Amino acid sequence: HDRMQLEVMRGCRRRCRFCQAGVVYRPNRERSVEKLISLVKRLYENTGYDEVSLISLSSGDHSRIMQIISSLKDVFKDKGISISLPSLRAEDLVTRFPLEITTGRRTTLTFAPEVGSEKMRKIINKDISLKALKECAYQAFKNGWRRIKLYFMIGLPQEDHSDLDAIVNLAKEISDVKIKIDGRSAKINASVSVFVPKPHTQFERAAMLPIEEIKKRQRYIREKSIGSKVKFSFHDARMCYIEAVLSRGNRRSCACIYNAWKMGCKFDGWSDHFNYDVWMTAFKEAGVEPDYYASREHGLEEVLPWEFIEVK
Ligand code: SF4
Protein backbone atom coordinates (compact mmCIF):
# COMPACT_ATOMS: atom_id res chain seq x y z
CA HIS A 1 0.00 0.00 0.00
CA ASP A 2 1.17 3.47 -0.84
CA ARG A 3 1.08 4.92 2.66
CA MET A 4 2.81 4.90 6.04
CA GLN A 5 1.96 1.80 8.03
CA LEU A 6 2.47 1.85 11.74
CA GLU A 7 1.76 -0.97 14.15
CA VAL A 8 0.11 0.58 17.21
CA MET A 9 0.02 -2.60 19.23
CA ARG A 10 0.57 -6.31 18.93
CA GLY A 11 -1.89 -8.91 20.14
CA CYS A 12 -5.61 -8.78 20.76
CA ARG A 13 -7.44 -8.61 24.06
CA ARG A 14 -10.45 -10.46 22.74
CA ARG A 15 -10.76 -14.19 22.97
CA CYS A 16 -12.53 -15.52 19.89
CA ARG A 17 -12.26 -19.28 20.23
CA PHE A 18 -11.39 -20.00 16.60
CA CYS A 19 -8.73 -17.31 16.26
CA GLN A 20 -5.09 -18.30 16.12
CA ALA A 21 -3.71 -14.77 15.76
CA GLY A 22 -5.37 -13.79 19.03
CA VAL A 23 -3.37 -16.54 20.78
CA VAL A 24 0.02 -16.55 19.10
CA TYR A 25 0.51 -12.79 19.35
CA ARG A 26 -0.05 -12.69 23.09
CA PRO A 27 0.64 -10.87 25.28
CA ASN A 28 -1.04 -7.68 24.26
CA ARG A 29 1.58 -4.93 23.93
CA GLU A 30 0.84 -1.30 23.20
CA ARG A 31 3.19 1.30 21.80
CA SER A 32 3.18 4.56 23.72
CA VAL A 33 1.67 7.69 22.23
CA GLU A 34 5.06 9.44 22.35
CA LYS A 35 6.81 6.60 20.53
CA LEU A 36 4.13 6.46 17.85
CA ILE A 37 4.21 10.19 17.21
CA SER A 38 7.98 10.21 16.88
CA LEU A 39 7.83 7.24 14.47
CA VAL A 40 5.18 8.89 12.32
CA LYS A 41 7.23 12.09 12.13
CA ARG A 42 10.26 10.13 10.97
CA LEU A 43 8.22 8.15 8.46
CA TYR A 44 6.71 11.33 7.09
CA GLU A 45 10.10 13.01 6.71
CA ASN A 46 11.57 9.98 4.98
CA THR A 47 8.71 9.05 2.68
CA GLY A 48 6.49 12.08 2.07
CA TYR A 49 3.37 9.91 2.12
CA ASP A 50 0.12 11.72 2.87
CA GLU A 51 -1.68 8.90 4.64
CA VAL A 52 -0.82 7.09 7.83
CA SER A 53 -2.44 3.79 8.59
CA LEU A 54 -2.55 2.67 12.23
CA ILE A 55 -2.53 -1.09 12.11
CA SER A 56 -2.93 -3.98 14.55
CA LEU A 57 -5.37 -6.83 15.05
CA SER A 58 -7.86 -4.42 16.62
CA SER A 59 -6.59 -0.82 16.75
CA GLY A 60 -9.67 0.52 18.53
CA ASP A 61 -8.65 -1.53 21.59
CA HIS A 62 -5.47 0.50 22.17
CA SER A 63 -6.10 2.09 25.57
CA ARG A 64 -5.00 5.53 24.29
CA ILE A 65 -6.21 5.40 20.71
CA MET A 66 -8.18 8.66 21.01
CA GLN A 67 -5.09 10.45 22.28
CA ILE A 68 -3.00 8.99 19.44
CA ILE A 69 -5.46 10.28 16.88
CA SER A 70 -5.79 13.75 18.36
CA SER A 71 -1.99 14.06 18.72
CA LEU A 72 -1.51 13.02 15.10
CA LYS A 73 -4.10 15.54 14.00
CA ASP A 74 -2.28 18.27 15.94
CA VAL A 75 1.12 17.37 14.56
CA PHE A 76 -0.05 17.17 10.94
CA LYS A 77 -2.84 19.71 10.97
CA ASP A 78 -1.45 21.86 8.14
CA LYS A 79 -0.03 19.04 6.07
CA GLY A 80 -3.17 17.36 4.75
CA ILE A 81 -2.28 13.97 6.19
CA SER A 82 -5.15 11.54 6.51
CA ILE A 83 -5.32 8.90 9.20
CA SER A 84 -6.87 5.51 8.64
CA LEU A 85 -7.57 2.67 11.04
CA PRO A 86 -8.25 -0.34 8.83
CA SER A 87 -8.74 -2.89 11.60
CA LEU A 88 -11.34 -0.93 13.55
CA ARG A 89 -14.34 -2.85 14.70
CA ALA A 90 -17.39 -1.56 12.89
CA GLU A 91 -19.12 -0.60 16.14
CA ASP A 92 -16.14 1.57 17.09
CA LEU A 93 -16.02 3.09 13.66
CA VAL A 94 -19.59 4.24 13.83
CA THR A 95 -19.93 5.12 17.50
CA ARG A 96 -16.55 6.24 18.84
CA PHE A 97 -14.54 7.72 16.01
CA PRO A 98 -15.27 10.81 13.97
CA LEU A 99 -15.93 9.48 10.49
CA GLU A 100 -13.75 12.00 8.69
CA ILE A 101 -10.54 10.72 10.26
CA THR A 102 -11.11 7.04 9.73
CA THR A 103 -11.13 7.25 5.99
CA GLY A 104 -11.36 9.86 3.31
CA ARG A 105 -13.89 8.03 1.13
CA ARG A 106 -16.90 6.37 2.62
CA THR A 107 -17.28 3.52 0.23
CA THR A 108 -17.27 0.08 1.77
CA LEU A 109 -17.61 -0.56 5.48
CA THR A 110 -16.67 -3.98 6.77
CA PHE A 111 -18.37 -5.87 9.59
CA ALA A 112 -17.21 -9.29 10.76
CA PRO A 113 -20.01 -10.80 12.83
CA GLU A 114 -18.75 -14.30 11.78
CA VAL A 115 -22.06 -15.85 12.81
CA GLY A 116 -25.73 -14.94 12.64
CA SER A 117 -27.21 -16.43 15.79
CA GLU A 118 -26.76 -15.56 19.43
CA LYS A 119 -26.11 -19.24 20.15
CA MET A 120 -23.12 -19.35 17.78
CA ARG A 121 -21.89 -15.96 18.97
CA LYS A 122 -21.59 -17.41 22.47
CA ILE A 123 -19.94 -20.58 21.19
CA ILE A 124 -17.18 -18.69 19.41
CA ASN A 125 -17.01 -16.04 22.15
CA LYS A 126 -17.15 -13.21 19.63
CA ASP A 127 -17.63 -10.01 21.54
CA ILE A 128 -20.11 -8.37 19.23
CA SER A 129 -23.76 -7.51 19.65
CA LEU A 130 -25.76 -8.65 16.64
CA LYS A 131 -28.48 -6.17 17.53
CA ALA A 132 -25.98 -3.33 17.79
CA LEU A 133 -24.62 -4.29 14.36
CA LYS A 134 -27.91 -3.36 12.75
CA GLU A 135 -27.87 -0.02 14.52
CA CYS A 136 -24.29 0.52 13.31
CA ALA A 137 -25.34 -0.29 9.77
CA TYR A 138 -28.14 2.25 10.05
CA GLN A 139 -25.76 4.94 11.32
CA ALA A 140 -23.25 4.08 8.62
CA PHE A 141 -25.77 4.40 5.78
CA LYS A 142 -27.06 7.61 7.31
CA ASN A 143 -23.52 8.99 7.41
CA GLY A 144 -22.89 8.36 3.76
CA TRP A 145 -21.38 4.89 3.57
CA ARG A 146 -22.55 3.26 0.39
CA ARG A 147 -21.80 -0.41 0.80
CA ILE A 148 -21.33 -2.89 3.58
CA LYS A 149 -19.29 -6.03 3.40
CA LEU A 150 -19.94 -8.83 5.87
CA TYR A 151 -17.68 -11.67 6.90
CA PHE A 152 -19.14 -14.93 8.12
CA MET A 153 -17.77 -18.36 8.92
CA ILE A 154 -19.57 -21.68 8.59
CA GLY A 155 -18.77 -25.17 9.80
CA LEU A 156 -18.11 -24.14 13.39
CA PRO A 157 -18.71 -26.71 16.15
CA GLN A 158 -22.42 -27.21 17.00
CA GLU A 159 -23.67 -25.28 13.98
CA ASP A 160 -26.98 -26.45 12.53
CA HIS A 161 -29.33 -25.25 9.81
CA SER A 162 -31.00 -22.70 12.04
CA ASP A 163 -27.60 -21.00 12.37
CA LEU A 164 -27.27 -20.88 8.59
CA ASP A 165 -30.74 -19.33 8.40
CA ALA A 166 -29.60 -16.79 10.98
CA ILE A 167 -26.64 -15.81 8.79
CA VAL A 168 -28.89 -15.16 5.81
CA ASN A 169 -31.43 -13.31 7.95
CA LEU A 170 -28.83 -11.08 9.56
CA ALA A 171 -27.38 -10.14 6.17
CA LYS A 172 -30.87 -9.39 4.82
CA GLU A 173 -31.79 -7.34 7.89
CA ILE A 174 -28.61 -5.27 7.52
CA SER A 175 -29.48 -4.74 3.87
CA ASP A 176 -33.00 -3.64 4.81
CA VAL A 177 -32.01 -1.05 7.42
CA LYS A 178 -31.35 1.32 4.52
CA ILE A 179 -35.07 1.26 3.65
CA LYS A 180 -35.66 3.55 6.64
CA ILE A 181 -33.29 6.09 5.08
CA ASP A 182 -34.09 6.18 1.38
CA GLY A 183 -36.72 3.53 0.82
CA ARG A 184 -34.32 1.00 -0.73
CA SER A 185 -32.39 -2.00 0.55
CA ALA A 186 -28.61 -1.82 0.35
CA LYS A 187 -26.45 -4.06 -1.76
CA ILE A 188 -24.49 -6.26 0.58
CA ASN A 189 -21.53 -8.48 -0.19
CA ALA A 190 -21.16 -11.30 2.28
CA SER A 191 -18.06 -13.45 2.25
CA VAL A 192 -18.41 -16.83 3.91
CA SER A 193 -15.27 -18.62 5.04
CA VAL A 194 -14.98 -22.13 6.41
CA PHE A 195 -13.99 -23.04 9.93
CA VAL A 196 -10.54 -24.61 9.94
CA PRO A 197 -9.42 -25.85 13.39
CA LYS A 198 -6.12 -24.22 14.28
CA PRO A 199 -3.43 -25.22 16.77
CA HIS A 200 -3.38 -23.38 20.10
CA THR A 201 -6.97 -22.20 19.79
CA GLN A 202 -9.77 -23.49 21.97
CA PHE A 203 -11.09 -25.37 18.94
CA GLU A 204 -7.76 -27.03 18.15
CA ARG A 205 -9.20 -30.53 18.74
CA ALA A 206 -12.47 -30.00 16.84
CA ALA A 207 -13.20 -31.79 13.57
CA MET A 208 -13.54 -29.92 10.33
CA LEU A 209 -16.69 -30.66 8.35
CA PRO A 210 -16.31 -32.98 5.34
CA ILE A 211 -15.98 -31.15 2.01
CA GLU A 212 -19.35 -32.38 0.75
CA GLU A 213 -21.14 -31.13 3.87
CA ILE A 214 -19.48 -27.72 3.53
CA LYS A 215 -20.63 -27.49 -0.08
CA LYS A 216 -24.14 -28.48 0.98
CA ARG A 217 -24.25 -25.67 3.56
CA GLN A 218 -22.88 -23.20 1.02
CA ARG A 219 -25.62 -24.18 -1.44
CA TYR A 220 -28.22 -23.85 1.31
CA ILE A 221 -27.14 -20.28 2.08
CA ARG A 222 -27.02 -19.34 -1.59
CA GLU A 223 -30.54 -20.68 -2.21
CA LYS A 224 -31.94 -18.98 0.89
CA SER A 225 -30.60 -15.61 -0.25
CA ILE A 226 -32.12 -15.72 -3.73
CA GLY A 227 -34.27 -12.66 -4.35
CA SER A 228 -32.46 -10.50 -1.79
CA LYS A 229 -29.83 -7.83 -2.33
CA VAL A 230 -27.25 -9.87 -0.48
CA LYS A 231 -24.59 -11.47 -2.61
CA PHE A 232 -22.86 -14.35 -0.89
CA SER A 233 -19.44 -15.58 -1.94
CA PHE A 234 -17.77 -18.66 -0.53
CA HIS A 235 -14.30 -19.93 0.15
CA ASP A 236 -13.25 -23.00 -1.79
CA ALA A 237 -14.08 -25.93 0.51
CA ARG A 238 -11.30 -28.07 -0.95
CA MET A 239 -8.70 -25.38 -0.39
CA CYS A 240 -9.86 -25.04 3.22
CA TYR A 241 -9.53 -28.79 3.63
CA ILE A 242 -5.88 -28.71 2.53
CA GLU A 243 -5.36 -25.81 4.91
CA ALA A 244 -6.77 -27.92 7.75
CA VAL A 245 -4.56 -30.91 6.93
CA LEU A 246 -1.45 -28.75 6.93
CA SER A 247 -2.52 -26.68 9.96
CA ARG A 248 -2.85 -29.73 12.16
CA GLY A 249 -0.05 -31.66 10.57
CA ASN A 250 3.01 -33.17 12.19
CA ARG A 251 6.52 -33.93 10.97
CA ARG A 252 5.10 -36.21 8.27
CA SER A 253 3.50 -33.16 6.64
CA CYS A 254 6.93 -32.01 5.45
CA ALA A 255 7.06 -34.81 2.87
CA CYS A 256 3.55 -33.87 1.64
CA ILE A 257 4.51 -30.26 1.08
CA TYR A 258 7.76 -31.26 -0.60
CA ASN A 259 5.96 -33.76 -2.86
CA ALA A 260 3.32 -31.20 -3.80
CA TRP A 261 5.99 -28.64 -4.62
CA LYS A 262 7.85 -31.17 -6.79
CA MET A 263 4.61 -31.83 -8.65
CA GLY A 264 4.24 -28.14 -9.44
CA CYS A 265 2.20 -26.72 -6.54
CA LYS A 266 3.04 -23.06 -6.07
CA PHE A 267 0.95 -20.04 -5.09
CA ASP A 268 -1.84 -22.39 -4.03
CA GLY A 269 -3.69 -19.64 -2.21
CA TRP A 270 -4.70 -18.34 -5.64
CA SER A 271 -7.59 -20.39 -6.96
CA ASP A 272 -6.23 -20.45 -10.52
CA HIS A 273 -3.03 -22.09 -9.23
CA PHE A 274 -4.70 -24.47 -6.80
CA ASN A 275 -4.85 -28.11 -7.81
CA TYR A 276 -6.63 -30.30 -5.29
CA ASP A 277 -5.85 -33.58 -7.07
CA VAL A 278 -2.12 -32.93 -7.00
CA TRP A 279 -2.29 -32.38 -3.25
CA MET A 280 -4.18 -35.65 -2.83
CA THR A 281 -1.45 -37.46 -4.78
CA ALA A 282 1.20 -35.74 -2.67
CA PHE A 283 -0.49 -36.98 0.53
CA LYS A 284 -0.80 -40.49 -0.85
CA GLU A 285 2.84 -40.68 -1.88
CA ALA A 286 3.87 -39.52 1.60
CA GLY A 287 1.65 -42.20 3.17
CA VAL A 288 -0.52 -39.56 4.84
CA GLU A 289 -4.26 -39.97 5.28
CA PRO A 290 -5.56 -36.36 5.14
CA ASP A 291 -8.84 -37.06 6.98
CA TYR A 292 -6.80 -38.18 9.98
CA TYR A 293 -5.58 -34.60 10.39
CA ALA A 294 -8.55 -32.54 9.19
CA SER A 295 -11.81 -34.37 9.75
CA ARG A 296 -11.28 -36.13 13.03
CA GLU A 297 -11.95 -34.82 16.50
CA HIS A 298 -8.70 -35.14 18.43
CA GLY A 299 -9.40 -36.77 21.80
CA LEU A 300 -8.35 -35.12 25.05
CA GLU A 301 -5.97 -38.01 25.76
CA GLU A 302 -4.16 -37.41 22.48
CA VAL A 303 -0.82 -35.58 22.57
CA LEU A 304 -0.93 -32.85 19.95
CA PRO A 305 2.07 -32.32 17.64
CA TRP A 306 2.30 -28.62 18.53
CA GLU A 307 2.02 -29.00 22.29
CA PHE A 308 5.74 -28.47 22.79
CA ILE A 309 5.47 -24.95 21.35
CA GLU A 310 4.88 -22.49 24.17
CA VAL A 311 2.61 -19.64 23.12
CA LYS A 312 0.44 -18.87 26.12
S1 SF4 B 1 -10.94 -12.74 15.57
FE1 SF4 B 1 -10.20 -10.61 15.70
S2 SF4 B 1 -11.13 -9.82 17.58
FE2 SF4 B 1 -11.28 -12.06 17.70
S3 SF4 B 1 -9.42 -12.68 18.84
FE3 SF4 B 1 -8.95 -12.77 16.64
S4 SF4 B 1 -8.00 -10.80 16.18
FE4 SF4 B 1 -9.07 -10.57 18.14
Side-chain angles (χ1 to χ4, degrees):
H1 292 290
D2 209 9
R3 61 187 175 216
M4 298 176 257
Q5 305 244 33
L6 201 59
E7 190 179 28
V8 292
M9 64 178 199
R10 192 165 294 178
C12 177
R13 282 196 263 120
R14 300 173 193 274
R15 293 280 188 270
C16 305
R17 293 198 170 99
F18 60 85
C19 178
Q20 192 180 44
V23 181
V24 299
Y25 290 114
R26 284 179 196 160
N28 201 43
R29 287 147 289 164
E30 296 184 350
R31 270 181 163 156
S32 69
V33 181
E34 299 70 30
K35 177 81 183 170
L36 284 165
I37 300 300
S38 88
L39 286 171
V40 178
K41 279 184 184 163
R42 270 176 57 202
L43 276 169
Y44 177 69
E45 283 158 14
N46 288 306
T47 65
Y49 285 141
D50 60 2
E51 182 180 350
V52 56
S53 183
L54 304 177
I55 56 171
S56 76
L57 287 172
S58 182
S59 303
D61 288 336
H62 191 295
S63 59
R64 295 171 74 194
I65 190 70
M66 299 310 264
Q67 200 185 334
I68 293 168
I69 292 167
S70 62
S71 303
L72 282 173
K73 282 177 80 181
D74 278 351
V75 171
F76 292 113
K77 65 174 173 290
D78 301 322
K79 299 198 167 69
I81 301 287
S82 65
I83 305 162
S84 66
L85 293 98
S87 68
L88 268 191
R89 286 153 45 92
E91 309 91 289
D92 288 339
L93 180 60
V94 175
T95 55
R96 284 174 59 207
F97 295 89
L99 286 168
E100 68 277 10
I101 60 155
T102 50
T103 175
R105 279 169 299 155
R106 292 172 205 173
T107 49
T108 304
L109 182 60
T110 303
F111 292 75
E114 309 291 356
V115 292
S117 66
E118 195 55 27
K119 173 195 114 189
M120 290 308 298
R121 192 195 67 71
K122 284 189 181 143
I123 286 172
I124 65 171
N125 197 35
K126 182 95 187 179
D127 181 18
I128 195 166
S129 154
L130 301 178
K131 203 169 146 215
L133 261 189
K134 286 176 237 167
E135 176 54 26
C136 291
Y138 176 76
Q139 293 297 339
F141 288 131
K142 218 170 121 191
N143 281 296
W145 293 87
R146 293 209 304 273
R147 278 191 292 272
I148 286 184
K149 178 154 192 184
L150 300 172
Y151 285 99
F152 292 107
M153 184 183 287
I154 58 167
L156 285 153
Q158 299 180 52
E159 176 187 87
D160 60 33
H161 277 77
S162 68
D163 302 309
L164 304 181
D165 290 337
I167 286 177
V168 178
N169 291 340
L170 179 63
K172 282 183 185 170
E173 285 167 22
I174 288 177
S175 164
D176 287 345
V177 295
K178 195 163 145 288
I179 293 175
K180 284 188 253 165
I181 297 163
D182 62 5
R184 281 180 297 185
S185 306
K187 278 189 186 155
I188 302 277
N189 286 320
S191 170
V192 183
S193 66
V194 176
F195 165 66
V196 172
K198 291 282 167 67
H200 303 295
T201 66
Q202 291 184 47
F203 289 154
E204 64 184 357
R205 292 175 186 270
M208 184 185 175
L209 285 183
I211 291 174
E212 277 318 308
E213 179 58 29
I214 293 166
K215 288 184 177 171
K216 223 165 96 186
R217 294 187 191 195
Q218 291 174 335
R219 275 197 301 275
Y220 182 84
I221 289 177
R222 186 176 285 123
E223 281 160 19
K224 281 260 165 186
S225 65
I226 289 173
S228 74
K229 283 210 175 171
V230 184
K231 188 169 178 288
F232 280 98
S233 58
F234 300 94
H235 285 200
D236 183 331
R238 300 200 302 179
M239 201 185 275
C240 297
Y241 177 73
I242 303 295
E243 185 188 331
V245 178
L246 298 179
S247 292
R248 293 207 294 191
N250 52 23
R251 60 174 69 86
R252 295 174 70 198
S253 309
C254 302
C256 306
I257 296 169
Y258 185 50
N259 287 347
W261 175 76
K262 279 195 293 185
M263 287 185 263
C265 289
K266 288 184 193 95
F267 303 118
D268 297 83
W270 294 343
S271 53
D272 50 336
H273 285 254
F274 175 65
N275 190 326
Y276 177 77
D277 295 333
V278 172
W279 276 99
M280 287 300 113
T281 309
F283 290 138
K284 200 169 172 191
E285 284 190 2
V288 161
E289 171 47 59
D291 275 352
Y292 179 84
Y293 296 94
S295 317
R296 188 177 60 86
E297 192 168 314
H298 292 33
L300 284 175
E301 70 296 341
E302 200 173 323
V303 178
L304 301 171
W306 51 88
E307 261 177 34
F308 72 98
I309 303 170
E310 179 63 57
V311 295
K312 303 224 164 81

